[in-house]
Amino acid sequence: MKKPSSSTQQKPSGVLTSFSEVLGLRKVLMQAEQLRRSGKLDEAEKLCRKLLSQNPTYMGALQTFGLISIERESYSQAVTCFLTATAEAPDDSTNYLNLAAAWMGLEKPVMAEPMLNKALELDPENAEIHHLIGDVHVRNREHDKAMASFSKAIELDPDHLLSMFKLADTYVNLGFFDDAKDILVPLMKKRPDWIGVINLLHQLPSDMTDIDFEAAIAKAKQQKTETSAEFENSRKFLKASILHRKGEYKEAWKNLIKANQEIYEANKGNVKSSQTLRSRELEAAKRIKISSSSNANSAVVPLFIMGASRSGKTTLEVLLGSHRDVKRGYENHNVQASTIRASQISGLVNIEQLWRLPEQLQSEFSKHFRSQIKKQVDQHRVLTNTSPGLIGSAAQIASALPEARFVFIKRDQNDLALRILMKKYKRANYHSYSLESAIDYIQWYVEMMDLLSEKLGDRVLNLSYEEMMSDKQNALSKTLKLCGLGNLKTELPQIGSDVGCSKPYNEFTQLA
């Protein structure tokens, strides 16, 4: 058979026949990357698509297109790019790191974690890998691990400012203010324009800083990762907090209402959905019957400290942390993870809220939960959990775990509403951006706690924030007794009181 002539032969897709072609494609790729770096994403994407249509496994084009997709928040497209890149170059840690970042964008830390472990195996001294591992731990509420990862990133790269910020943020949220200050003061010198740093410094006790916050906020600038609207909204929240501390309450309230209203208007649908969900959780709690048995089936006592957001749960946890037999678990995800596992084993779609899990699967939940906390407590006898969202499943937790104990913390409604309004949450908490919806949330939470107190009997301790702040030792002693622990004479940490914070606002607000 006669061979085809050269004029009729077809070159397979992706096959390059000359060095000049290779150089030509590289030139286009460099142009696409330059366009991406300068923010011209449309033009950069067009070039990447052209390159990939000719060569679907062109590594450089996959990487640049993946980064473009992350910047556009098109995370599913980014996952596709970097999955292909990792298959083509399984020894390149950068591809695994970028794939993990894409999974994090999709709110899938469970998918990101193994990618980061692989990246770390390939490049253990890469600060960026340790940083993103810290991010995964934060999402999973594994704060001890998060702090270790961020610290390692800073050790490897002392100028890794984002790790410094994330570590300081974790310290502030957990009440480790001295540690936070040690990071924030030098970070402020390096980045005086970063409003997030100023905000964290302002959350430290007032006697720990001597910063002119009004002058600092005037120097703040919009960051690349935020829109101008987001930046201005953050300024309003911080301005309100600064004015509150200065005693200029009327102006503080004006800024606070404006800042909250902007977020509320964009989330009205979510507010309504949240109210519907709360009603369903309340009805589920009313229906469930809890065994009167409170015998511990585990050497570890899981202690659930519950109360509406900003009610003082972390304060009690800090006090408990002074006892050698108590390990702080923060807002850990043990209940959610065990619920998901129980649903998976039974062939169901992933269920995260325990109150939705079929009753016959409670034993699977209990088995996995006990296995999890046993790995986490070391030699401690009590593991705390301060996640406020677990109130919706508290009845089911009590039914599945007879050894569980509960502390319900109530706080003056007006003080609590003010503190909720002054907090700009990282995600969800849609009830938090109007006074009316915040009050509705607080009243629902109190109703849930009252209902559960009747069902749980001597497995629950009811505390008020005001009571706790007036006599910390007594509040601690009662909680230790609830968990079967004796008192331990030790110096308690210094914690400032916030009782009565709403009183200055009574004359010109609806708080009364």
Side-chain angles (χ1 to χ4, degrees):
M1 182 181 293
K2 186 179 179 181
K3 293 183 180 179
S5 66
S6 61
S7 61
T8 59
Q9 283 182 326
Q10 298 241 334
K11 181 177 64 176
S13 175
V15 177
L16 303 176
T17 58
S18 70
F19 187 59
S20 62
E21 285 185 89
V22 174
L23 290 178
L25 291 178
R26 185 176 184 278
K27 184 177 180 181
V28 175
L29 176 63
M30 297 299 290
Q31 184 182 356
E33 180 62 17
Q34 187 176 14
L35 288 167
R36 182 191 73 81
R37 291 175 181 273
S38 61
K40 298 177 181 179
L41 301 184
D42 289 340
E43 296 175 53
E45 179 178 340
K46 186 176 179 180
L47 292 179
C48 285
R49 286 188 179 277
K50 181 178 179 181
L51 289 169
L52 291 169
S53 69
Q54 299 169 354
N55 301 274
T57 58
Y58 186 6
M59 183 63 58
L62 286 167
Q63 291 171 332
T64 296
F65 191 20
L67 293 173
I68 291 168
S69 300
I70 287 177
E71 290 183 50
R72 288 188 182 283
E73 299 184 1
S74 300
Y75 298 113
S76 294
Q77 180 66 65
V79 165
T80 300
C81 289
F82 290 119
L83 275 173
T84 306
T86 56
E88 288 294 312
D91 58 349
D92 187 343
S93 64
T94 301
N95 289 325
Y96 292 101
L97 175 62
N98 289 331
L99 178 55
W103 281 123
M104 290 291 283
L106 288 172
E107 301 288 334
K108 297 288 185 181
V110 69
M111 301 298 289
E113 192 166 6
M115 299 301 102
L116 289 167
N117 290 338
K118 181 62 177 177
L120 195 63
E121 179 185 321
L122 293 167
D123 190 2
E125 301 299 301
N126 187 317
E128 195 59 36
I129 296 172
H130 287 279
H131 172 80
L132 197 52
I133 290 173
D135 263 347
V136 169
H137 290 318
V138 168
R139 297 283 185 95
N140 291 334
R141 302 293 193 268
E142 299 168 328
H143 296 300
D144 287 333
K145 292 180 180 179
M147 289 184 285
S149 293
F150 292 136
S151 296
K152 182 63 177 179
I154 296 166
E155 177 189 327
L156 293 170
D157 178 5
D159 289 323
H160 201 298
L161 304 187
L162 193 54
S163 277
M164 294 175 70
F165 176 80
K166 290 290 186 73
L167 181 57
D169 186 38
T170 305
Y171 282 150
V172 169
N173 289 331
L174 301 180
F176 301 139
F177 297 127
D178 289 327
D179 294 313
K181 180 183 176 182
D182 289 343
I183 295 174
L184 289 169
V185 170
L187 183 55
M188 179 71 170
K189 292 178 181 177
K190 294 180 179 181
R191 290 298 304 274
D193 63 326
W194 197 348
I195 197 168
V197 177
I198 303 168
N199 182 49
L200 287 179
L201 278 164
H202 197 261
Q203 292 180 51
L204 301 181
S206 56
D207 61 353
M208 290 185 69
T209 60
D210 56 358
I211 295 171
D212 182 344
F213 284 102
E214 286 196 291
I217 199 174
K219 296 177 182 178
K221 297 178 182 178
Q222 178 186 339
Q223 305 301 306
K224 291 181 179 179
T225 55
E226 61 188 350
T227 66
S228 58
E230 289 169 340
F231 171 68
E232 289 302 328
N233 184 259
S234 295
R235 277 174 59 97
K236 290 186 182 78
F237 270 101
L238 181 52
K239 183 72 170 176
S241 183
I242 292 170
L243 291 166
H244 172 82
R245 187 176 285 187
K246 290 179 64 179
E248 298 178 19
Y249 302 113
K250 192 167 186 176
E251 286 302 311
W253 185 255
K254 286 181 181 178
N255 278 271
L256 198 56
I257 292 301
K258 288 179 182 177
N260 279 283
Q261 186 67 23
E262 290 168 0
I263 300 177
Y264 179 79
E265 289 296 329
N267 287 284
K268 283 184 176 180
N270 290 322
V271 173
K272 186 68 175 177
S273 298
S274 297
Q275 290 172 331
T276 301
L277 177 61
R278 292 201 297 268
S279 296
R280 293 179 64 189
E281 289 176 334
L282 179 60
E283 290 306 312
K286 287 178 179 178
R287 289 192 301 269
I288 193 168
K289 293 182 179 179
I290 302 173
S291 170
S292 59
S293 171
S294 61
N295 294 328
N297 294 329
S298 170
V300 182
V301 176
L303 175 63
F304 295 90
I305 305 172
M306 295 185 172
S309 175
R310 317 303 293 166
S311 60
K313 300 180 297 299
T314 298
T315 297
L316 179 59
E317 190 184 41
V318 169
L319 295 174
L320 286 165
S322 64
H323 195 288
R324 66 190 175 201
D325 290 327
V326 178
K327 180 168 183 177
R328 294 179 65 183
Y330 316 114
E331 294 184 9
N332 66 69
H333 277 187
N334 288 331
V335 170
Q336 295 91 329
S338 299
T339 305
I340 290 172
R341 185 60 181 152
S343 62
Q344 289 173 336
I345 288 174
S346 304
L348 300 176
V349 68
N350 285 358
I351 298 172
E352 187 171 340
Q353 293 89 9
L354 183 58
W355 68 272
R356 297 180 186 269
L357 192 73
E359 188 174 350
Q360 60 268 31
L361 299 182
Q362 278 196 350
S363 60
E364 282 294 344
F365 162 81
S366 304
K367 178 182 176 181
H368 189 269
F369 181 89
R370 290 175 180 137
S371 174
Q372 282 294 105
I373 67 172
K374 187 177 180 180
K375 299 173 185 176
Q376 298 169 4
V377 295
D378 301 321
Q379 301 302 312
H380 300 87
R381 292 170 56 193
V382 174
L383 179 67
T384 61
N385 188 317
T386 60
S387 180
L390 289 179
I391 190 67
S393 295
Q396 291 77 11
I397 293 170
S399 177
L401 303 168
E403 67 271 25
R405 297 294 181 266
F406 302 82
V407 177
F408 294 152
I409 301 182
K410 297 179 181 178
R411 185 178 180 182
D412 177 85
Q413 178 177 276
N414 296 336
D415 286 357
L416 187 50
L418 177 67
R419 283 308 181 194
I420 288 174
L421 289 171
M422 294 189 82
K423 172 74 172 177
K424 185 174 183 180
Y425 294 87
K426 291 181 175 69
R427 56 179 65 88
N429 291 284
Y430 301 113
H431 59 268
S432 306
Y433 300 106
S434 84
L435 183 59
E436 181 181 3
S437 61
I439 293 292
D440 180 72
Y441 160 76
I442 293 167
Q443 292 176 345
W444 166 81
Y445 211 109
V446 169
E447 186 177 1
M448 286 288 286
M449 290 192 292
D450 289 345
L451 171 68
L452 291 163
S453 291
E454 293 180 12
K455 291 176 177 283
L456 292 172
D458 60 3
R459 295 169 64 187
V460 65
L461 169 66
N462 285 286
L463 279 179
S464 73
Y465 174 76
E466 293 76 19
E467 171 192 357
M468 177 170 60
M469 298 314 296
S470 67
D471 192 342
K472 299 182 186 69
Q473 184 61 62
N474 186 48
L476 176 59
S477 298
K478 287 181 177 180
T479 308
L480 293 173
K481 183 179 179 181
L482 175 73
C483 298
L485 297 179
N487 244 333
L488 181 66
K489 289 188 177 181
T490 184
E491 185 177 349
L492 296 181
Q494 295 297 313
I495 303 172
S497 174
D498 197 33
V499 173
C501 61
S502 67
K503 288 182 179 178
Y505 295 88
N506 290 349
E507 60 179 292
F508 48 82
T509 71
Q510 299 175 53
L511 294 175

